[in-house]
Amino acid sequence: MATEILMPALSPTMEEGTLAKWLVKEGDTVKSGDVMAEIETDKATMEFEAVDEGVIGKILIAEGTEAVKVNTAIAILLEDGEALDATPVAAAPSVAASPAPAARATVSSPESPVAAAAEQTPDWPEGTELVQTTVRVALRDAMAEEMRADENVFLMGEEVAEYEGAYKISQGLLDEFGAKRVIDTPITEHGFTGIAVGAAFGGLKPIVEFMTFNFAMQAMDQIINSAAKTLYMSGGQMGAPMVFRGANGAASRVGAQHSQCFAAWYMQIPGLKVVTPYSASDAKGLLKSAIRDPNPVIFLENEMLYGRAFDVPKLDDFTVPFGKAKICRTGTDVTIVSFSIGMQYALEAADKLAEDGISAEVIDLRTLRPMDLPTVIKSVMKTNRLVTVEEGWPQGSVGSYIASEVMQQAFDYLDAPIITCTGKDVPMPYAANLEKLALITTDEVIAAVKQVTYR
Amino acid sequence: MAARKSVKKTNVSAEELTEHYRSMLLIRRFEEKAGQLYGMGLIGGFCHLYIGQEAVVVGLEAAAEEGDKRLTSYRDHGHMLACGMDAGGVMAELTGRTGGLSKGKGGSMHMFSKEKNFYGGHGIVGAQVPIGAGLAFADKYNGNGRVSFTYFGDGASNQGQVYETFNMAALWQLPVIFVIENNQYAMGTSQQRSSVTPDIYTRGEAFGIPGEAVDGMSVLAVKEAGDRAVAHCRSGKGPYILEVKTYRYRGHSMSDPAKYRTREEVQKMREERDPIEQVRTLLLDHKYATEDDLKAIDKEIKAVVNEAADYARNSPEPALEELWTDIYA
């Protein structure tokens, strides 16, 4: 029986890819393990092997085709001696265990002109040319620009140089800046973080990439006891001007040890700055500010956002200052505050709530330390209702801090208890249905808003 | 107290030997004074004295050049004095006063001096080791020919990050000298009870890092070994390990009754191996100095230490606004 060969998901977050090259042609016999094609994901070019024996009956997707969705049929495999138009085609098992989540694509960009808040100073001058850029490329561009501008800036981490980044964030940097400034480390977070702190004490400006922030727990002592506190302990004589960056939060189907948000942890530490961009323009502008900042900066990226494109202004030197929240959508009935990937749920919820006649003001904090509480409080004084949204755990969450501050500073303005929407209080499960249940959803945000607006 | 046992001919100049004597004596008297002030309640918290180990840092500082960097653990007073940091500033930090090197905000374990290239003062055992290699990384990056003296103890030598650092320092050929001050006790745990190998310097072998054991009670032996290590690092050959066998006379910290060793063990070390007595004997035997000369030095050091103590007692406590400064640059 003929089977369809499907576009495989070759990483936990892959939704589509480029069919770069066919290494077999119609009529070729393949057996299990033969390399059939090269597929370019958002992170790497991967070889795609045959699972079953058979003859390539037909190639359905030509090589060079971009944006081929996972699970699209790309070829038909026939049993030996079978003709092409024989029996109905059955789907072959895809290489990856399950398709990547697909329902993440349609989000209104916070930079869309409709959403831009009138009362805020815009991040770039009116009329600036905007270029659709992925978060991934925006981060790379930010590092490249700052490395061109300052010889003391260098990048170190696992797979940042020759591999060009486990998530392809450092693509092209080794070529441009050489091995002196783009440094592959052994897998030794505690050690290389300490070395980077020492290099910062010694006058350099390291960017430390953690493949994901889960691994930064190995280096927590150096980040907090050495990097964050030395300026204070030295009476202002020396500190650690450096950036710790990498993917934070849940990716997709990678289980408990690789799926967690550290925003609330780092946000607690005096001496650190904590940055949590959502859009590509913020990723770029804030990373450039982080590299220039004379303090240790925790820069929390999100793997689910790396491949997403947003408008980024075409400017020679575009930066976004710390401590300035962005009102992404103005509204009158409720304030929704979020950051990083939480913005996706906040904005989706606001869109749907608008259909029900509820006008939500959506604020992206962008940086958690410093945190722009005045913008939040000003908004709450207008809407009298607040919902916070984040992916992290509930106890000691970012939202619980905001709720406590708003309660103390704007108690008389509140018409309903604040609701803090968070991930569930469980280690991240692996099973697809349970993982979905553990994460915050747009529907939960909508329900929270309806609760505080008594609708 | 006599230490005649290890006296032999030396080709070290009178001037150099006298300087060693002066530096070691300053540390000894300073630490004795700190112990005294602690007893009076003027110094709080943890206070780790360097008495007995003076030859280590004095010998290695003699091997250092202008611009070289150093950092160590929480037992750091001796290192600061040896690299020329002001005794009054160190003592005032111990008393938590505004005249302290960290304005009273660091304390005994957390002091720094950009001017003297002293990068702490680290309170977490072993954490200074990768940081020291990081300083060397910066030096190599800048191509300035400097080396970084990274001190840690026999206790810290069992921390995992030390070996992570050995690997990277060797991989990247960093100009760092790992100085293991083996004073035989990690707090109350003797080396025999904590380490399977008696010679810690051999632990660099797996990484191809040369190392040697050094008599840490002899300032001249330390200086000689320091010269070898510095020459190795400065010539671009990468890291070097010195395991300096030394001994601390006092407890781990002020609150340690040191029940894990006998009084006789300490007494024997003091009588037979004391680093200051050894140099004193050399000075006298070589007629580099008379008893009167040495008495004059003793008096001079005593005056420096008393002045430091007075400064530390009289310097005001930090202004309350200081609570909120130096958190961000």
Side-chain angles (χ1 to χ4, degrees):
Chain A
M1 191 177 85
T3 48
E4 282 182 345
I5 298 171
L6 304 180
M7 182 71 168
L10 296 170
S11 82
T13 53
M14 176 175 166
E15 291 169 17
E16 59 181 38
T18 299
L19 210 167
K21 197 173 180 189
W22 277 110
L23 299 170
V24 292
K25 56 185 190 303
E26 289 173 3
D28 281 1
T29 302
V30 295
K31 58 182 190 307
S32 164
D34 286 351
V35 179
M36 294 193 295
E38 285 178 6
I39 288 169
E40 218 173 284
T41 72
D42 51 352
K43 293 176 202 153
T45 300
M46 310 272 285
E47 290 180 340
F48 176 44
E49 294 178 0
V51 181
D52 298 314
E53 268 184 14
V55 176
I56 301 292
K58 189 166 180 56
I59 285 174
L60 301 171
I61 303 283
E63 67 179 29
T65 308
E66 290 178 13
V68 181
K69 296 275 181 219
V70 166
N71 284 340
T72 308
I74 56 174
I76 291 174
L77 188 70
L78 304 174
E79 281 177 27
D80 215 6
E82 187 184 11
L84 183 60
D85 294 311
T87 43
V89 169
S94 137
V95 169
S98 88
R104 310 254 191 194
T106 49
V107 186
S108 65
S109 157
E111 278 80 32
S112 67
V114 188
E119 63 199 86
Q120 275 212 317
T121 29
D123 287 335
W124 50 80
E126 208 179 320
T128 304
E129 186 188 340
L130 299 174
V131 183
Q132 277 278 302
T133 310
T134 60
V135 170
R136 170 176 288 113
V137 169
L139 291 167
R140 192 270 314 276
D141 289 351
M143 288 194 284
E145 287 177 24
E146 293 307 300
M147 288 177 77
R148 277 173 215 135
D150 185 348
E151 277 287 315
N152 284 331
V153 178
F154 72 94
L155 172 67
M156 78 192 304
E158 293 153 10
E159 309 290 5
V160 299
E162 296 193 6
Y163 198 92
E164 300 191 286
Y167 295 103
K168 259 194 180 169
I169 305 298
S170 51
Q171 224 171 359
L173 295 185
L174 176 65
D175 274 353
E176 180 173 355
F177 299 102
K180 182 189 171 188
R181 298 179 67 195
V182 184
I183 300 155
D184 279 328
T185 64
I187 303 170
T188 169
E189 284 83 7
H190 197 180
F192 73 68
T193 302
I195 285 180
V197 171
F201 287 176
L204 301 182
K205 303 194 81 179
I207 304 170
V208 175
E209 175 173 311
F210 292 119
M211 194 180 290
T212 76
F213 262 92
N214 303 290
F215 315 140
M217 275 197 283
Q218 299 251 15
M220 205 53 120
D221 174 63
Q222 291 292 356
I223 296 171
I224 292 170
N225 271 322
S226 303
K229 296 178 182 173
T230 294
L231 186 74
Y232 196 80
M233 295 193 300
S234 69
Q237 286 187 76
M238 63 180 76
M242 63 196 302
V243 178
F244 303 96
R245 50 155 290 271
N248 170 67
S252 179
R253 306 296 310 283
V254 290
Q257 292 180 332
H258 287 71
S259 313
Q260 58 208 312
C261 175
F262 292 95
W265 291 42
Y266 290 111
M267 185 185 81
Q268 239 233 334
I269 309 299
L272 292 180
K273 294 190 176 179
V274 182
V275 183
T276 51
Y278 168 61
S279 71
S281 63
D282 284 346
K284 182 175 185 189
L286 289 167
L287 184 53
K288 282 167 65 76
S289 294
I291 295 166
R292 290 178 199 183
D293 199 281
N295 299 287
V297 179
I298 303 286
F299 196 92
L300 302 172
E301 300 158 8
N302 188 291
E303 189 190 333
M304 307 302 294
L305 298 174
Y306 280 152
R308 192 157 321 156
F310 296 80
D311 283 340
V312 173
K314 197 174 176 187
L315 292 168
D316 285 344
D317 188 18
F318 168 67
T319 59
V320 173
F322 290 177
K324 189 180 155 214
K326 184 178 181 118
I327 300 174
C328 295
R329 181 185 179 116
T330 53
T332 51
D333 297 333
V334 61
T335 301
I336 306 177
V337 175
S338 190
F339 57 91
S340 187
I341 197 166
M343 284 302 296
Q344 169 185 301
Y345 310 111
L347 291 167
E348 277 177 1
D351 280 347
K352 290 188 178 159
L353 287 162
E355 291 165 15
D356 293 342
I358 299 173
S359 161
E361 181 144 300
V362 182
I363 297 175
D364 183 354
L365 289 170
R366 302 203 283 195
T367 64
L368 302 182
R369 181 181 265 272
M371 188 186 282
D372 186 1
L373 280 171
T375 292
V376 175
I377 286 165
K378 197 172 159 202
S379 174
V380 170
M381 287 163 81
K382 178 174 73 173
T383 64
N384 310 110
R385 291 163 168 93
L386 176 61
V387 169
T388 65
V389 182
E390 69 196 286
E391 231 184 40
W393 289 305
Q395 194 163 341
S397 65
V398 175
S400 58
Y401 170 70
I402 296 168
S404 114
E405 286 296 316
V406 170
M407 194 267 290
Q408 292 174 67
Q409 296 185 42
F411 183 72
D412 291 341
Y413 291 88
L414 287 172
D415 284 347
I418 298 161
I419 294 183
T420 55
C421 296
T422 64
K424 309 306 179 296
D425 201 12
V426 297
M428 185 63 73
Y430 168 70
N433 62 332
L434 296 182
E435 181 184 59
K436 208 171 155 200
L437 204 57
L439 289 165
I440 179 75
T441 63
T442 301
D443 285 346
E444 285 167 348
V445 178
I446 291 170
V449 167
K450 291 199 169 165
Q451 201 177 326
V452 301
T453 52
Y454 306 112
R455 302 284 276 266
Chain B
M1 283 197 292
R4 312 248 166 213
K5 206 179 116 199
S6 55
V7 172
K8 52 181 185 244
K9 280 281 172 203
T10 176
N11 52 7
V12 178
S13 73
E15 201 180 15
E16 197 181 326
L17 208 54
T18 309
E19 196 45 45
H20 293 334
Y21 181 74
R22 191 190 304 273
S23 298
M24 290 195 290
L25 197 66
L26 173 63
I27 295 171
R28 173 89 37 113
R29 296 285 170 263
F30 180 97
E31 294 290 65
E32 287 166 354
K33 180 62 81 180
Q36 199 185 358
L37 296 186
Y38 193 94
M40 293 163 70
L42 286 160
I43 296 173
F46 297 131
C47 184
H48 310 86
L49 302 183
Y50 198 62
I51 296 175
Q53 301 182 212
E54 297 91 344
V56 180
V57 74
V58 169
L60 288 172
E61 279 299 332
E65 277 178 20
E66 187 69 32
D68 288 342
K69 300 180 172 74
R70 69 278 290 162
L71 83 173
T72 187
S73 70
Y74 43 80
R75 196 178 305 285
D76 55 356
H77 313 159
H79 302 72
M80 293 188 276
L81 296 172
C83 73
M85 287 162 69
D86 176 57
V90 179
M91 196 71 95
E93 190 60 37
L94 300 186
T95 54
R97 305 302 174 90
T98 192
L101 283 158
S102 296
K103 300 194 263 183
K105 291 156 71 165
S108 166
M109 300 185 286
H110 316 113
M111 266 183 268
F112 305 81
S113 169
K114 198 148 207 175
E115 185 199 343
K116 301 290 182 192
N117 291 311
F118 180 74
Y119 289 85
H122 293 268
I124 305 297
V125 174
Q128 76 274 24
V129 179
I131 296 174
L135 293 168
F137 179 96
D139 285 333
K140 184 167 186 192
Y141 191 96
N142 291 323
N144 60 16
R146 298 296 110 211
V147 306
S148 150
F149 290 84
T150 300
Y151 295 86
F152 55 103
D154 46 301
S157 73
N158 287 323
Q159 285 277 24
Q161 61 184 318
V162 170
Y163 302 95
E164 298 186 21
T165 303
F166 280 4
N167 181 47
M168 285 179 279
L171 190 65
W172 298 332
Q173 296 283 285
L174 302 180
V176 52
I177 301 172
F178 297 110
V179 184
I180 303 163
E181 293 196 63
N182 182 356
N183 66 15
Q184 303 176 40
Y185 294 92
M187 197 168 147
T189 305
S190 68
Q191 206 202 330
Q192 293 88 321
R193 292 202 299 124
S194 65
S195 304
V196 76
T197 44
D199 292 314
I200 308 174
Y201 72 93
T202 60
R203 294 194 193 172
E205 281 172 9
F207 307 92
I209 305 176
E212 57 179 291
V214 186
D215 175 5
M217 304 310 274
S218 161
V219 71
L220 298 180
V222 174
K223 161 75 165 66
E224 254 183 58
D227 286 340
R228 278 193 294 279
V230 166
H232 177 91
C233 283
R234 244 194 266 290
S235 66
K237 291 180 188 157
Y240 200 90
I241 295 172
L242 294 177
E243 181 193 352
V244 189
K245 312 255 190 193
T246 181
Y247 198 80
R248 83 171 135 71
Y249 296 173
R250 297 292 189 94
H252 163 74
S253 67
M254 294 305 296
S255 53
D256 170 20
K259 293 257 167 71
Y260 42 84
R261 60 186 184 189
T262 62
R263 195 178 289 274
E264 290 70 34
E265 179 185 303
V266 182
Q267 204 51 37
K268 192 169 154 56
M269 192 62 82
R270 291 189 88 125
E271 282 174 11
E272 296 176 5
R273 308 279 313 281
D274 186 77
I276 298 176
E277 278 306 313
Q278 287 189 46
V279 171
R280 184 182 162 81
T281 307
L282 274 180
L283 284 167
L284 293 173
D285 284 1
H286 286 80
K287 305 211 180 329
Y288 283 167
T290 63
E291 289 279 1
D292 282 349
D293 294 337
L294 297 183
K295 262 185 199 153
I297 293 174
D298 294 0
K299 205 173 153 193
E300 179 197 318
I301 295 294
K302 208 171 177 179
V304 170
V305 168
N306 283 336
E307 197 186 319
D310 286 346
Y311 177 71
R313 297 167 83 141
N314 296 322
S315 174
E317 289 190 306
L320 298 184
E321 300 85 75
E322 280 295 337
L323 182 65
W324 302 104
T325 63
D326 304 322
I327 300 164
Y328 293 103

